Amino acid sequence: MRRIALHYAKRWFFLDVIVILPDWVTLLISQYAETTDNFGGIRLLKVVRMFRLLRTVKLRRLIQYVLTSVESDLLSTFMHAFLVLALIFGCLHLIACLWFVVGDTQDGWVQVLNMKTASTTNRWVVAMHRDLSSLQGTSWPINALTHLEHAYSVCIMPI
């Protein structure tokens, strides 16, 4: 047990502290502030939280180990297909989240569809619906409304 703790402390503890620190700072600021809208740094801290993705380095080693130890060709094929689908879904999720961030402006689609007060699940479903329909080549009921939304749509189109 001591060896595991030392290994964790040497390799992953510092990264975990960096990843968790913005959550703690956000929590403390929101507890002691009347409104968190006055703090522009909170949005920056939320972006820093995306560094949690660095933890996937551990997952990559685990996936590689499992794939090399599988003896069945059929199971190996299914596992590779699942990994490809998971990667595609992860990319779509990221695109949908970025579409929400881009549309969360005064005249953006979030305001037009009154999604500011909607639940996170509803906002995610609407953003994902937009991205899936644009990637399929079909139209979405609400087109890009701001210059930033247009620029984002142009950048995503080659994907």
Side-chain angles (χ1 to χ4, degrees):
M1 186 68 135
R2 182 180 166 99
R3 194 174 87 190
I4 294 171
L6 284 173
H7 182 267
Y8 173 75
K10 287 180 184 177
R11 297 223 171 161
W12 294 104
F13 178 73
F14 184 69
L15 178 64
D16 286 343
V17 168
I18 290 172
V19 167
I20 295 299
L21 192 63
D23 287 333
W24 282 97
V25 171
T26 304
L27 180 68
L28 288 173
I29 289 174
S30 66
Q31 290 293 322
Y32 293 110
E34 294 277 327
T35 175
T36 58
D37 292 340
N38 296 335
F39 296 100
I42 292 216
R43 205 167 241 210
L44 178 65
L45 287 175
K46 289 180 180 179
V47 170
V48 172
R49 287 170 46 186
M50 287 183 11
F51 283 114
R52 289 181 177 163
L53 294 175
L54 292 176
R55 303 244 11 216
T56 59
V57 172
K58 284 183 181 180
L59 183 63
R60 183 176 156 209
R61 270 193 254 146
L62 177 66
I63 289 171
Q64 192 65 28
Y65 173 74
V66 169
L67 286 176
T68 57
S69 62
V70 170
E71 302 273 336
S72 169
D73 288 339
L74 181 64
L75 183 58
S76 177
T77 302
F78 279 124
M79 289 174 68
H80 279 91
F82 176 77
L83 288 175
V84 168
L85 288 174
L87 179 67
I88 291 170
F89 184 78
C91 289
L92 285 173
H93 173 75
L94 181 64
I95 291 170
C97 290
L98 290 173
W99 174 248
F100 180 81
V101 169
V102 166
D104 192 14
T105 59
Q106 186 174 3
D107 297 326
W109 71 268
V110 175
Q111 295 296 326
V112 170
L113 294 179
N114 200 19
M115 296 299 291
K116 192 75 169 173
T117 58
S119 70
T120 304
T121 305
N122 287 343
R123 292 184 287 187
W124 180 83
V125 167
V126 170
M128 184 64 87
H129 175 247
R130 185 264 176 194
D131 289 330
L132 286 173
S133 63
S134 69
L135 291 174
Q136 279 183 321
T138 59
S139 63
W140 190 54
I142 301 289
N143 292 323
L145 301 173
T146 65
H147 294 296
L148 188 58
E149 290 176 10
H150 282 285
Y152 180 77
S153 296
V154 168
C155 291
I156 294 299
M157 199 168 293
I159 295 175

